[in-house]
């Protein structure tokens, strides 16, 4: 286990060390102490390593992650795992706005709540939030899955493309073109797998599925008010 | 026969034929007009400025003998690897999707031959352009289509797009006809939908967030790449100052004549300031911060000639960027396709329905047959030639003003033909010492 103390190591050196790890590195386990809300921590990683951040992070922790598993033991600031490509990011506490924004792959798990715009413009990432998510979550979400064990705020899935949204609790309101859809066996399977991988104790049958009504896909004057 | 004289039938200036045709179009379709290109109305522009030339107090340089340098370095503030260009003209960001693969390749070829950079766009990086562009700027846009760390790292610079001159405050659009399988795949979208892309970045708002976003991009790319911030010509003084504050290496400033792939006509014609009006406030902001030439300024929006280039530089820009003119050099709107333009209900020079993807010149299309009309090697050569002409013209003017580097051109080398242009460019009205708003008549 390599331990890096951010109180004494500059951010640049820390990220450079982590980014220098390659597929066959034998230093697979890293611990970062004293993060104290630092921004852009553990960004741009591209190796099968495990990084544990002991504490809370600022903006864009684990941004554009590939392959790595990044665990934040505290809470994460805005844009955690933004544009993640692959790998896993786990936030033990809460996540601020835009968690998993534009993510293209991998799994983001938030053990607490996620704030507004969770999964905005996501493009293939899977996001599992054990708590609740804020307003405008899944805005313009294109691909991938959002799973919420708690409740969802206003305007869920506004202007949604092909992302699937599963919510166990209540949905305050649905955004434009987002509708509740039938839970078919294949969705139960997807959900079961995600819940298991996210260490979430819930049964897929308790969830409802939301998706795009696809009415805004091609401009139609009768829906002009929705755009 | 009635011998009473009649006045000639008079068309209304307010309700012109053009205006009425738009009312009728709107009444039938119920949707605003979408088109490509930039503002078509006449606004004060570089044409309204003239160079004074040398005289007894300023002596000129000998054409072709005495050197007039044109090299530009972009990104000297923070980047470990600034971009070195041979000429002060770059190719602006135009998306793959709006343009065909061969058109992107042609832009890369032409720019590389001329010693300058080209730029990706709202649709990600293609092999065509990475492969054929020696220097490639990778745009970081609100949509983030195709965004990934590997392309960020193989780019030579990163351009965070906040706005575009054609539509400051507007997002992208690509209509279903152009969302082919390849385009859809790169953007993670279903094939054939009318794509609306966001007008704001998904994970930051305001200059403080932007500063952190830039930190992240630099951390991902090892502080190597210059980071540009592209702004539309909305509030050039403040936007430039905030871009500098957020940590930009380069500010790209795009005025209202700047082209776009597709946007509402009402947006193109009615939002943003003319390019001419944007430059001085931006330069002022840089000067006030002690950052002029430290953070480079690239100006775009309606650049067509070497005179435009020279005038933009004289007003304080470090380089210019071209979109529309580069497409015309490749072959866009060429009268040789007139019969086909007619079939589309338009004429060469006026064709702007780029969103429909039926471009006879094979540039703004994803249709394989039309695309095949553009030979990227030939078109690349034409672009190279055109870029060379822009540079030669700019040097000609700089030498006439006695400058050994095009960057030595200055506002004192200029006068204005109109009061408006004098006020916007901050140079005297021709024949007077009057700069409206600054000096008395
Ligand atoms: C076909 C086309 C596509 C464009 N696509 C983009 C884009 O993806 N991103 C962007 O920032 N600007 C885009 N622009 C704007 C150009 O980058 C540039 O600002 C503009 O073309 C400059 O003005 P000019 O066309 O008068 O030279 C596009 C312009 C055109 C003509």
């Amino acid at each position: 286990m390599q331990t890096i103390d951010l109180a004494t190591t500059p951010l640049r050196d820390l990220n450079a060390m982590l980014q220098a790890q390659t597929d066959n590195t034998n230093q697979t386990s890293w611990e970062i102490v004293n993060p104290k809300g630092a921004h852009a921590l553990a960004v741009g990683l591209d190796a099968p390593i495990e990084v544990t951040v002991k504490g809370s992070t600022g903006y864009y922790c684990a941004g554009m992650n590939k392959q790595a598993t990044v665990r934040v033991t505290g809470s994460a600031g805005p844009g955690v795992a933004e544009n993640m490509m692959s790998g896993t990011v786990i936030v033990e506490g809460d996540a601020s706005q835009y968690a998993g924004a534009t993510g293209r792959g991998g799994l983001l798990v938030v053990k607490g709540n996620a704030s507004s715009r969770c999964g905005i413009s996501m493009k293939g990432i899977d996001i599992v939030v054990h708590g609740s998510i804020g307003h405008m979550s899944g805005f313009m979400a294109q691909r991938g899955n959002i799973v919420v064990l708690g409740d969802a705020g206003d305007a869920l899935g506004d202007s949604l493309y092909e992302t699937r949204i599963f919510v166990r609790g209540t949905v305050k309101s649905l955004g434009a073109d987002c509708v509740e859809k039938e839970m078919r066996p294949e969705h139960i399977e997807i959900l079961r797998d995600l819940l298991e991988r996210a260490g979430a104790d819930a049964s897929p049958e308790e969830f409802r599925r939301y998706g795009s009504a696809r009415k805004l896909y091609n401009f139609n004057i009768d829906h002009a008010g929705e755009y | 026969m009635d011998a009473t004289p009649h006045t000639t039938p008079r068309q209304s200036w307010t309700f012109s034929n053009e205006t009425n045709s738009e009312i009728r179009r709107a009444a039938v379709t119920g949707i605003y007009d979408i088109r490509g290109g930039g503002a078509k109305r006449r606004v004060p522009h570089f044409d309204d400025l003239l160079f004074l030339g040398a005289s007894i107090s300023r002596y000129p340089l000998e054409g072709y003998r005495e050197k007039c340098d044109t090299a530009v370095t972009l990104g000297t503030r923070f980047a470990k690897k600034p971009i070195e260009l041979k000429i002060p003209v770059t190719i602006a960001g135009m998306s793959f999707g709006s343009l065909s693969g061969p058109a992107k390749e042609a832009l890369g070829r032409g720019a590389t031959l001329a010693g300058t950079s080209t730029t990706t766009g709202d649709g990600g990086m293609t092999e065509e352009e990475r492969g054929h562009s020696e220097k490639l700027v990778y745009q970081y846009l609100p949509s983030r289509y195709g965004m990934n760390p590997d392309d960020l790292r193989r780019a030579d610079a990163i351009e965070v797009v906040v706005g575009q001159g054609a539509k400051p405050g507007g997002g992208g659009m690509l209509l279903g006809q152009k969302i082919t399988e390849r385009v859809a795949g790169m953007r993670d979208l279903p094939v054939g939908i009318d794509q609306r892309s966001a007008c704001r970045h998904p994970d930051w708002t305001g200059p403080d967030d932007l500063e952190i976003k830039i930190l992240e991009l630099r951390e991902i790319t090892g502080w190597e790449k210059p980071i540009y911030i592209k702004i539309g010509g909305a509030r050039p003084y403040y936007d430039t100052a905030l871009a500098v504050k957020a940590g930009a290496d380069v500010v790209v400033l795009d005025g209202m004549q700047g082209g776009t792939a597709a946007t509402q006509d009402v947006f193109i014609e009615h939002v943003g300031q003319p390019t001419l009006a944007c430059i001085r406030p931006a330069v002022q902001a840089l000067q006030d911060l002690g950052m002029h030439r430290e953070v480079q300024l690239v100006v775009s929006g309606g650049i067509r000639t070497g005179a435009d280039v020279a005038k933009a530089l004289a007003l304080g820009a470090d380089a210019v960027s071209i979109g529309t003119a580069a497409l015309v050099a490749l072959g866009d709107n060429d009268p040789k396709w007139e019969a086909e333009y007619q079939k589309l209900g338009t004429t060469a020079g006026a064709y702007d329905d780029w969103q429909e993807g039926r471009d006879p010149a094979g540039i703004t299309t994803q249709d394989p047959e039309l695309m095949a009309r553009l030979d990227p090697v030939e078109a690349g050569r034409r672009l190279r030639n055109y870029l060379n002409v822009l540079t030669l013209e700019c040097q000609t003017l700089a030498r006439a003003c006695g400058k050994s580097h095009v960057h030595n051109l200055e506002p004192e080398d200029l006068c204005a033909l109109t009061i408006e242009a004098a006020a916007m460019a901050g140079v005297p009205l021709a024949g007077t010492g009057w700069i409206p708003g600054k000096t008395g008549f």
Side-chain angles (χ1 to χ4, degrees):
Chain A
M1 161 99 73
Q2 314 286 313
T3 300
I4 307 174
D5 187 350
L6 254 189
T8 51
T9 310
L11 177 73
R12 181 76 287 265
D13 296 356
L14 161 71
N15 279 329
M17 263 185 275
L18 296 175
Q19 288 164 359
Q21 304 308 312
T22 52
D23 279 356
N24 37 26
T25 178
N26 48 21
Q27 298 178 331
T28 54
S29 186
W30 298 73
E31 188 182 69
I32 300 169
V33 296
N34 285 315
K36 298 202 174 128
H39 305 310
L41 262 188
V43 295
L45 306 192
D46 189 2
I49 56 175
E50 301 218 352
V51 180
T52 301
V53 182
K54 296 277 214 186
S56 294
T57 60
Y59 282 58
Y60 312 130
C61 178
M64 299 209 189
N65 185 52
K66 283 176 93 173
Q67 302 192 63
T69 299
V70 179
R71 183 183 294 270
V72 178
T73 64
S75 290
V80 63
E82 70 87 15
N83 214 92
M84 172 151 65
M85 305 296 294
S86 62
T88 306
V89 174
I90 302 148
V91 180
E92 301 284 354
D94 298 321
S96 182
Q97 305 175 80
Y98 345 116
T102 76
R104 298 182 64 195
L107 174 67
L108 167 64
V109 180
V110 179
K111 296 277 178 77
N113 302 307
S115 179
S116 59
R117 296 186 166 77
C118 176
I120 182 172
S121 288
M122 58 191 264
K123 298 169 171 60
I125 190 177
D126 292 319
I127 302 177
V128 180
V129 180
H130 288 218
S132 298
I133 58 174
H135 66 267
M136 291 298 273
S137 287
F139 178 59
M140 291 182 102
Q142 297 173 217
R143 285 181 45 213
N145 300 287
I146 302 180
V147 179
V148 186
L149 276 70
D151 305 326
D154 265 324
L156 178 71
D158 195 281
S159 305
L160 192 65
Y161 291 102
E162 294 294 297
T163 290
R164 303 182 198 92
I165 306 180
F166 302 97
V167 184
R168 184 164 71 165
T170 60
V171 173
K172 190 145 183 228
S173 68
L174 293 173
D177 213 29
C178 182
V179 292
E180 185 176 345
K181 293 187 162 181
E182 183 198 353
M183 262 292 208
R184 292 195 301 267
E186 71 258 35
H187 304 120
I188 297 280
E189 277 325 298
I190 292 170
L191 191 50
R192 190 185 311 283
D193 171 60
L194 284 171
L195 289 167
E196 194 183 308
R197 286 198 285 136
D201 183 20
S203 98
E205 287 78 14
E206 299 170 85
F207 289 74
R208 290 165 183 260
R209 177 170 77 102
Y210 303 88
S212 178
R214 305 191 179 100
K215 285 194 184 135
L216 303 182
Y217 276 15
N218 291 98
F219 188 87
N220 177 340
I221 185 60
D222 298 324
H223 300 134
E226 305 267 304
Y227 285 90
Chain B
M1 213 179 98
D2 182 5
T4 319
H6 288 277
T7 52
T8 310
R10 184 175 178 187
Q11 300 282 357
S12 166
W13 185 85
T14 308
F15 289 92
S16 66
N17 282 334
E18 211 271 319
T19 300
N20 291 349
S21 72
E22 168 53 20
I23 294 174
R24 281 187 290 272
R25 193 205 58 77
V28 170
T29 64
I31 179 175
Y32 38 55
D33 188 24
I34 295 174
R35 68 171 178 88
K40 291 190 166 185
R41 60 158 82 213
R42 193 197 184 294
V43 293
H45 199 36
F46 296 115
D47 295 330
D48 302 312
L49 301 182
L50 294 173
F51 280 103
L52 300 175
S55 55
I56 296 180
S57 60
R58 312 272 168 107
Y59 63 89
L61 297 186
E62 206 65 72
Y64 304 110
R65 296 218 180 121
E66 289 177 303
K67 207 166 168 304
C68 176
D69 203 353
T70 59
V72 188
T73 306
L74 300 176
T76 49
R77 187 183 181 196
F78 291 122
K80 277 193 222 152
K81 294 189 179 162
I83 294 216
E84 314 264 357
L85 304 177
K86 290 200 185 111
I87 62 173
V89 187
T90 67
I91 304 299
M94 293 183 272
S95 68
F96 167 73
S98 77
L99 301 186
S100 70
K104 289 299 276 179
E105 175 182 334
L107 291 172
R109 285 176 179 275
T112 300
L113 287 169
T116 191
S117 61
T118 180
T119 313
T120 65
D122 197 5
M125 187 186 286
T126 63
E127 293 312 317
E128 283 98 328
E129 67 185 335
R130 179 58 284 187
H132 293 283
S133 308
E134 196 189 308
K135 299 194 174 72
L136 181 62
V137 183
Y138 186 31
Q139 286 199 328
Y140 191 75
L141 294 120
S143 67
R144 310 276 167 87
Y145 294 135
M147 178 48 56
N148 70 82
D150 303 318
D151 284 344
L152 266 183
R153 288 177 179 134
R154 63 187 188 136
D156 299 290
I158 298 161
E159 181 168 299
V160 179
V161 179
V162 176
Q164 257 180 261
K167 46 178 175 184
M173 257 184 192
L174 201 63
L175 300 194
Q177 297 91 318
K178 291 171 91 169
I179 309 276
T180 58
E181 231 160 274
R182 181 176 175 200
V183 174
M186 282 180 68
R187 298 182 185 219
D188 296 295
L189 288 170
V191 174
I193 65 159
D194 291 338
Q195 168 243 296
R196 313 145 271 151
S197 55
C199 62
R200 288 207 310 263
H201 280 262
D203 57 357
W204 64 267
T205 39
D208 299 331
D209 285 8
L210 177 55
E211 188 172 346
I212 306 171
K213 177 47 76 178
I214 288 177
L215 169 73
E216 184 204 7
L217 294 173
R218 289 199 197 275
E219 282 293 324
I220 291 174
T221 53
W223 288 75
E224 274 182 3
K225 327 275 177 198
I227 305 230
Y228 304 5
I229 297 183
K230 177 173 180 174
I231 53 178
R235 294 172 185 80
Y237 181 86
Y238 294 106
D239 287 341
T240 302
L242 291 170
V244 170
K245 188 224 162 239
D249 292 302
V250 175
V251 175
V252 179
L253 173 61
D254 191 30
M256 79 171 282
Q257 298 101 309
T260 174
T263 293
Q264 297 92 331
D265 175 81
V266 71
F267 214 142
I268 300 175
E269 295 288 352
H270 297 277
V271 186
Q273 301 200 55
T275 305
L276 187 68
C278 292
I279 305 177
R280 287 311 288 277
V283 172
Q284 190 64 51
L286 292 170
Q287 286 168 341
D288 289 352
L289 294 166
M291 284 288 176
H292 191 215
R293 307 284 184 215
E294 186 70 31
V295 168
Q296 287 78 36
L297 177 68
V298 179
V299 165
S300 60
I303 303 278
R304 309 145 299 174
T305 63
D308 292 347
V309 178
K311 290 168 187 174
L313 299 187
L315 294 177
D318 294 271
V320 301
S321 191
I322 58 169
T324 307
L327 300 187
V328 174
L330 298 187
D332 173 62
N333 265 295
D334 191 320
K336 81 175 176 193
W337 304 111
E338 182 59 23
E340 298 195 34
Y341 288 124
Q342 295 278 338
K343 275 192 227 149
L344 295 172
T346 182
T347 183
Y351 176 64
D352 58 13
D353 281 327
W354 299 345
Q355 74 284 358
E356 291 177 354
R358 293 190 286 168
D359 183 1
I363 295 171
T364 56
T365 183
Q366 295 299 324
D367 177 309
E369 264 171 48
L370 293 172
M371 256 155 70
R373 290 182 179 181
L374 186 82
D375 173 353
V377 178
E378 256 307 301
R381 268 192 223 121
R382 283 197 295 272
L383 177 60
R384 187 266 324 258
N385 290 343
Y386 170 64
L387 288 168
N388 286 351
V389 170
L390 290 182
T391 309
L392 287 167
E393 286 178 343
C394 179
Q395 283 174 304
T396 301
L397 295 169
R399 281 203 186 87
C401 297
K403 315 295 187 188
S404 60
H405 194 295
V406 291
H407 283 167
N408 297 344
L409 286 163
E410 53 195 333
E412 286 67 27
D413 293 316
L414 294 166
C415 69
L417 286 170
T418 66
I419 297 172
E420 290 86 349
M424 293 178 190
V427 301
L429 182 66
T432 77
W434 184 35
I435 304 176
K438 294 219 169 116
T439 59
F441 187 72

